[in-house]
Amino acid sequence: DTDQRRNTPTAMQQVMDDLRWLGIEWDEGPETGGPHGPYLQSQRKDIYDRYIKQLLNEKKAYYCFDTSQELDTMREQAEGQKGNLTYLRPERFADENDARKAREQGRPVTVRFAIPQNEPIVVQDVIRGRIVFAAADIGDFIIQKSDGFPTYNFACVVDDHLMNVTHVIRGQEHLNNTPGQQALWRALFADTPLPAYAHMSVTVSDTGGKLSKRERPKALRVVIEERIGLSDSVNATVTPEALTLSAKLHPPQVVTEQELAKQANLTVEEVRSFQKGESVPDMPVIDAMARYLGVALPEINIVDFSRSGYLPETMVNFLALLGWNPGDNREIMAVDELVKAFDLSRLTKSNSLFDRQKLLAFNTEHIRMVSPETLLRHFKRYLSAVESPMASADDELLSTVIRLCEGARTLAQIEQKSKFLFIDNDRIEYDEKDVKKVLLKSDGLAILGIVRDRLAAMNELTAQAIEDMLRGLAQERQVGLGKVAQPLRVALCGTTISLPIFDSVRMLGKANTLRRIDDTLKRFATQNQT
RNA sequence: GGCCCCAUCGUCUAGGCAGGUCCAGGACACCGGGUUUUCAACCCGGCAACAGGGGUUCGAAUCCCCUUGGGGCUACCA
C-alpha cells in the first residue's frame, strides 16, 4: 500500500478474504502477525527512509526535482528519436541542501537510484533460465516519490531482504523490474545472496490481453447502452463476452437512468460520466448496477467466481493448472494432492488463456467430489452471499436439495432449480417461452387440469405415488412422460428447469401444488383462447 | 518505437534440457450416437496440432539461426 492515492482499505481486505476463501492461509503477514512486521508497507516508511539515506550517503542514489510535465516532455523527445527514456544522470549529485531549497521553491523532490552502468545485469530465472539486461536499458529509476513514500520497486527489495524471502514467484509482467531490483539488492545487501526468482506465464483473457478488472465495467457499459442507451461514446470495442451477456438479458422490465443511479448510489451525472468512459466507479458500485440490470458480468476477481457459484476447490485446482501440470495426466485434484505434486520446475513458460468452459467442467467434477458436509457449507455461504431467499432454509432441506441436484455444474444452478420451493405462491415468475412451449401449445392446459384432479384425489404424496400417477396418465394418453410432467413443472416453478418433478411435488406439498396449478390454469386459460 | 518473454489440436497441456520407442498422449470444447420427467449429468464413438523457412544430423516436435505471430514492460501504479 505504498500508493497513497490508490490504496483503499477494502481492497486489502478483499485480497485477504479471497485467500481465506480459497483455503490459503499465510504463516506471517497482516492480521496473522509474525516476527518481521509491520507487514503494511505504509507502516514501514522509517525503515525505507533509512536505506534511502544510506544510498544517498554512499552516492548510489541522488535527488531529482523534475516536475511530471518536464518528465513527459523528455519522454516524448526520447520516443521521437529512437528508443526509451532512460533518465540522464547529472554530473553532480544534488545534496541535502539542494533538496531543501527545491522544496522551498515548491518543486517536487524525488530520489533516483544510480544504477551501476559497468556491466550487464543477469537474472537467473527459475522458469526461464538466464536473461541478460543491459544496464543502460534500465536507467535510473525513482525509489522515493515526492510524497516521501518508496516506490514498489524499492520497497519490495528491502522487504524481501528484511523478511527473509527465499523465493519471489510472480507474473511475467514483473520480469523487467527484476534487473533493477537485483541491482538495488546488490547495492544494499551485497553480502547476502539474492532470493530465487520465478516469473510465471500470464493468464490472458479470451477477449485478448491480460485478464483485467477493466473487462467488467466495459461489459457493463455495453449493457447500459443497450438497456438505456444513454451514451454517445460506446463504440467499436464490444467484447464478445459482453455480447453473450446482453443476449442473456431477462425480458425487459422497465429500466431507467434515474433508478440505475439510485441503485448504485451515484448521481445521474456520475452514471453518465461512467458511460462516456470518463470515470470508473469502484467494483461494488459496478456490481450494484449489474444487479439492477439483471446481468452477470464476466468473472475476473476471485470473489466474482465465488458469487457465480464456483467452489474454492475448483478455483485452486484450475488456477494451479494454468501454467503448471503434475507431469502425468491428472487434472482434477484435491488441494492436498496439488500440494504434494507441486514443483517449481514444472511451471510453463508460455501464456495461457482463461477458458471458462473448462472451469465449468472442473466445477462439475469438484461438486461431485467434495464431501456432502463441505458442499453444504459452501452452498450456505453462497446463498447468503447472493442474498438468496433460500438462505434461511435449514440444513436438512438444503442437503436434500443438493442431493437431488446431482450433476449440477455450479451452486447457482442448484439454487436456480430449487428456488421455487422458497417463493410465495403468488410470486411465481412465468418464463414466457416455456409457457408458450409447454402450456399453450397442444393440450398442455388440458393435461394440467387432469393432473390437478388426480393429485387432488391422492391422500399421500410420496415421490413414488406421484410417479405412478404421472406415468399412468402418460400411458393412458399414449404420450411420453414429458407431455404430462412439463406442464406440471411450469405450473409449479414458472420454468422448465427445476428439481426432478416427483420430488418437486412432494416437497412443495399438496396444498401449494394444487394452489399453483389452479393459479396457472386461471391465468393462462384466457390467453389460450385468444 | 525500444527492451524482455513465448510459440504442439479451437483451448489447457504431455513430450523438448539427455534427437530415433511420437504417422504426437490426456483433458475441455466441438460433432455423431445412446440414456432421459426438465436443465444438467452420464455412457460410446469421432474430428483435431508440432507457425513458416533455412541449417546440424543416418535421423528433428525435440538442437541452432532467421522470419512471422502472440504476450509483457516502457509511471513519482503495484
Side-chain angles (χ1 to χ4, degrees), chain A residues 411-424:
Chain A
L411 298 177
Q413 277 186 357
I414 300 178
E415 197 241 359
Q416 188 204 4
K417 278 183 168 186
S418 36
K419 208 167 42 187
F420 76 98
L421 288 169
F422 300 83
I423 293 177
D424 292 338

Side-chain angles (χ1 to χ4, degrees), chain A residues 44 51 54-55 58 60 113-116 121-123 138 141 143 152-168 170 177-197:
Chain A
R44 297 170 64 79
Y51 287 103
Q54 181 191 324
L55 290 174
E58 293 171 355
K60 289 176 180 168
F113 175 52
I115 192 158
I121 299 162
V122 178
V123 173
I138 298 160
F141 54 93
I143 56 179
Y152 159 78
N153 272 318
F154 180 79
C156 73
V157 170
V158 172
D159 293 340
D160 287 345
H161 178 257
L162 260 25
M163 294 181 181
N164 295 333
V165 168
T166 58
H167 291 73
V168 176
R170 40 152 68 148
N177 291 147
T178 310
Q181 292 174 195
Q182 282 194 5
L184 219 32
W185 182 290
R186 295 228 160 85
L188 247 17
F189 320 113
D191 45 340
T192 20
L194 290 163
Y197 288 94

Side-chain angles (χ1 to χ4, degrees), chain A residues 244-301:
Chain A
T244 47
L245 279 174
S246 52
K248 277 192 262 178
L249 284 176
H250 288 304
Q253 75 200 77
V254 185
V255 172
T256 67
E257 190 179 5
Q258 285 72 22
E259 188 59 23
L260 178 68
K262 197 178 137 202
Q263 291 288 329
N265 218 343
L266 295 174
T267 65
V268 171
E269 284 68 40
E270 283 170 323
V271 171
R272 287 195 180 144
S273 143
F274 163 63
Q275 194 56 9
K276 282 183 198 150
E278 293 164 359
S279 66
V280 180
D282 289 344
M283 239 6 117
V285 176
I286 299 281
D287 286 340
M289 288 196 265
R291 219 174 309 125
Y292 170 62
L293 294 169
V295 290
L297 263 18
E299 301 92 351
I300 303 288
N301 304 299

